[in-house]
Amino acid sequence: MTDIVLKAEGITKQFGGTKALEEAGLEVARGEVHALVGANGAGKSTLIKIITGAYQKDEGKIWLEGREIDIRSTFEARALGISAVYQEFSLINTISVAENIYMGRLIRKRWGPFPKVDWKQINMEAGKILDMLHADIKPETIVGDLSVAQKQMVEIAKALSNDIKVLIMDEPTASLSDNDIENLFKIVKNLKDKGISIIYVSHRLEELPMICDRISVYRDGRYIKTLDIEDAPKSVIIENMVGENMTATEQVDASREEVLLEVRNFSSGKKFRDVNLTLHKGEILGIAGLAGAGRTEFARALFGADPHDTGEVWMEGRRIEIKSPADAKREGIGFVTEDRKEEGLILGMDLHTNVGMTILEKLKKKFGLDLQKEVELTDGYIQSLSIKCRDGNQKTGDLSGGNQQKAVIAKWLATEPRVLIMDEPTRGIDIGSKNQIYALMNELAAQGIGILMISSELPEVLQVSNQVMVFAAGRVTGKLVNKYLTQEILLDYATRAIS
């Protein structure tokens, strides 16, 4: 590891009265895949934003290929050969793939006295990069027509269109299917063979041995240690992340005999067909399946966010009509969406406002809203859910991913739901926050709340659920009691309709 491409030393960054990073460091070798791990709020995102010029450091030094650099913007970082692919894409959906790749630096040619954009050359150069990635994407395609995995390929192509030395990948597999993840790993190994260094940020600890050479652990804004991948089994990584041995949350069965929610013959075109479901009070019903199986589409239709063609919904023996999220909320159904940034929160608003907007009718008084009640309610959830923030006046966009997820849960708990739909409730958050959310789900179930939990992580489904319903190609292929279940059994049901 003598050929160090990127080195950061003594990096400190403070936001208001909160130190996000304190004396943090990192060394990345040429052609290395170097993982950054740590709990939400450990400082990983702040560090990579400083390296890419999105944030300015308060103290510390950064070297690139032995030369000290002072990065003032993302444009400067890209010019130096440092680019990032974030979990939330920075693409424009209404324009072509090629235009996204070369946005801000379109190739031009002379046309008489005036320069003109050379679309033929732009499409040709973009095509070369996409071919190098073995991506079956045409440069002329509109980005909005692409899948999540294809959009990620475009983001990587955009980074590679520069003379790149360091590529930062932030939670690159969070929204991908198993096949897409396998393809991504092939691309990462190919880039590594070309001498490109990759900083790989992920909460999926089980995937790190497949792709990484070394791991650097951060905790509470401080650098803890760097380990060779051979010396970093999952238990060791977790111990360094949390500073102590952590006990996993065990499955608790608080389900009762009373039927809370019943769905009969629910269908929506080709998205899902003839779904039947029974949820008891205090039950955690896991919904498993591969990407595109129709799980999220079913949940959104049940909540009234999307229309459905046929079917009935019954709540405690009474048939109800749900044509909108307002109807669902009125009937006691809450929905923790899988996309917390786009659909779950208003990132530019503070915690108090985000929580209060779901219960405006409860906050009404003769003139205006009871803002004191909103503050007291939110402060209670900050304490009970252990939301790490300055106070309830902090913008949700400034919180870490795990704390944003807790904020989404808080806003729906404020509605006092009888049924809570949780779509990918732990996506993109660390193992400590995951266990806190699992424990919270057990507490809610003990109070008699019924939970529908959609998850792509089969170990999570097996750890938390009392029963599991498996989707494949829009149909339910299995309803299983979670006793002696294995990942292999769930995968068998998840592929039945396909095979």
Side-chain angles (χ1 to χ4, degrees):
M1 292 296 173
T2 55
D3 189 6
I4 300 299
V5 170
L6 181 76
K7 181 178 179 180
E9 189 176 85
I11 304 297
T12 298
K13 180 66 179 178
Q14 189 161 318
F15 297 98
T18 305
K19 270 195 175 178
L21 278 177
E22 187 172 3
E23 295 288 324
L26 177 68
E27 283 190 355
V28 183
R30 191 179 305 279
E32 175 190 18
V33 180
H34 194 118
L36 300 190
V37 299
N40 289 104
K44 310 182 301 297
S45 295
T46 303
L47 179 60
I48 64 176
K49 285 179 179 177
I50 287 172
I51 292 171
T52 57
Y55 289 164
Q56 305 304 308
K57 63 186 184 302
D58 296 333
E59 298 175 22
K61 295 181 178 182
I62 299 173
W63 292 267
L64 183 67
E65 296 183 319
R67 179 171 65 91
E68 186 175 347
I69 57 175
D70 188 16
I71 307 169
R72 292 292 174 182
S73 70
T74 55
F75 295 103
E76 284 186 22
R78 284 198 292 269
L80 289 167
I82 302 171
S83 289
V85 176
Y86 291 103
Q87 185 178 351
E88 288 81 32
F89 302 137
S90 59
L91 302 173
I92 300 174
N93 285 328
T94 54
I95 63 177
S96 73
V97 168
E99 194 170 356
N100 268 281
I101 292 173
Y102 286 98
M103 176 63 65
R105 49 196 178 88
L106 296 175
I107 302 168
R108 299 176 185 274
K109 63 180 179 180
R110 298 297 299 182
W111 187 266
F114 305 106
K116 183 181 179 182
V117 175
D118 191 344
W119 290 112
K120 183 178 179 181
Q121 187 66 26
I122 289 170
N123 287 330
M124 188 183 301
E125 295 299 326
K128 289 178 184 176
I129 300 171
L130 293 166
D131 288 343
M132 185 180 75
L133 295 173
H134 303 290
D136 186 19
I137 305 170
K138 292 182 179 179
E140 303 86 355
T141 305
I142 299 299
V143 165
D145 295 334
L146 301 178
S147 67
V148 171
Q150 288 174 319
K151 286 181 179 179
Q152 190 168 66
M153 290 300 105
V154 176
E155 284 280 18
I156 295 172
K158 186 176 173 181
L160 295 180
S161 65
N162 298 285
D163 182 16
I164 193 166
K165 300 180 177 75
V166 179
L167 176 63
I168 299 170
M169 307 185 82
D170 184 18
E171 297 290 346
T173 63
S175 302
L176 300 184
S177 66
D178 289 344
N179 284 339
D180 291 332
I181 291 172
E182 190 176 336
N183 291 334
L184 177 68
F185 285 175
K186 288 177 183 176
I187 289 166
V188 169
K189 288 173 182 175
N190 183 36
L191 297 176
K192 175 184 172 181
D193 291 342
K194 293 180 185 298
I196 296 171
S197 303
I198 295 172
I199 299 174
Y200 192 92
V201 183
S202 179
H203 289 305
R204 293 186 172 183
L205 303 185
E206 62 277 1
E207 73 188 17
L208 300 185
M210 306 177 209
I211 198 69
C212 299
D213 300 302
R214 292 192 297 165
I215 296 173
S216 286
V217 184
Y218 295 81
R219 184 172 71 238
D220 297 329
R222 290 179 174 272
Y223 165 77
I224 303 301
K225 66 169 61 173
T226 297
L227 300 162
D228 289 334
I229 192 63
E230 295 83 4
D231 303 325
K234 189 173 179 179
S235 58
V236 171
I237 297 173
I238 292 171
E239 186 175 343
N240 281 283
M241 281 172 59
V242 300
E244 58 187 13
N245 290 311
M246 185 175 60
T247 304
T249 304
E250 299 291 335
Q251 182 204 130
V252 173
D253 190 350
S255 56
R256 308 170 191 177
E257 288 186 7
E258 305 102 295
V259 173
L260 183 58
L261 176 73
E262 193 175 359
V263 179
R264 302 175 185 173
N265 304 316
F266 220 56
S267 298
S268 178
K270 295 182 179 179
K271 295 177 182 177
F272 56 86
R273 298 178 297 284
D274 299 322
V275 176
N276 291 279
L277 172 153
T278 301
L279 179 71
H280 296 82
K281 286 186 178 180
E283 180 183 7
I284 301 176
L285 176 60
I287 301 180
L290 303 178
R295 300 165 301 161
T296 294
E297 291 81 357
F298 163 71
R300 287 178 60 85
L302 178 60
F303 187 64
D306 292 335
H308 65 279
D309 301 330
T310 60
E312 299 176 358
V313 181
W314 295 69
M315 181 76 83
E316 294 182 308
R318 178 176 60 87
R319 184 175 178 180
I320 59 175
E321 290 288 339
I322 299 177
K323 295 181 179 180
S324 69
D327 291 339
K329 185 160 74 83
R330 192 162 45 248
E331 295 292 351
I333 302 175
F335 185 36
V336 178
T337 174
E338 66 175 333
D339 191 343
R340 57 179 174 262
K341 291 183 181 290
E342 290 293 328
E343 300 176 346
L345 298 168
I346 300 177
L347 299 179
M349 290 186 172
D350 58 35
L351 267 166
H352 290 153
T353 305
N354 271 280
V355 171
M357 66 177 52
T358 58
I359 53 166
L360 293 176
E361 64 279 2
K362 293 183 181 179
L363 298 176
K364 282 181 182 177
K365 55 183 185 179
K366 191 171 183 179
F367 298 105
L369 299 173
D370 189 344
L371 298 181
Q372 183 58 37
K373 183 178 179 181
E374 177 186 89
V375 168
E376 291 172 359
L377 186 70
T378 304
D379 289 349
Y381 285 123
I382 289 172
Q383 187 163 357
S384 63
L385 298 180
S386 300
I387 300 175
K388 190 177 179 181
C389 61
R390 185 176 63 250
D391 54 38
N393 294 313
Q394 187 169 1
K395 289 182 179 179
T396 55
D398 294 336
L399 302 180
S400 67
N403 288 300
Q404 287 180 354
Q405 188 70 352
K406 291 177 187 177
V408 179
I409 294 172
K411 67 181 265 190
W412 284 109
L413 291 183
T415 68
E416 300 179 350
R418 288 179 288 169
V419 173
L420 188 60
I421 303 169
M422 306 182 80
D423 192 1
E424 303 288 359
T426 66
R427 172 173 287 170
I429 64 175
D430 67 86
I431 196 161
S433 296
K434 281 186 178 184
N435 273 284
Q436 288 180 336
I437 289 175
Y438 299 155
L440 172 64
M441 291 168 69
N442 286 337
E443 289 175 19
L444 297 176
Q447 296 168 23
I449 294 173
I451 297 175
L452 293 177
M453 183 193 74
I454 302 169
S455 178
S456 299
E457 297 186 30
L458 298 184
E460 177 171 86
V461 173
L462 294 171
Q463 182 176 343
V464 179
S465 308
N466 306 131
Q467 295 197 66
V468 181
M469 191 165 78
V470 187
F471 273 67
R475 291 185 179 275
V476 176
T477 55
K479 298 174 185 174
L480 312 164
V481 176
N482 189 9
K483 194 173 185 180
Y484 310 122
L485 285 182
T486 64
Q487 293 186 56
E488 289 75 18
I489 292 172
L490 294 184
L491 281 171
D492 176 39
Y493 279 94
T495 53
R496 286 188 177 187
I498 298 168
S499 60

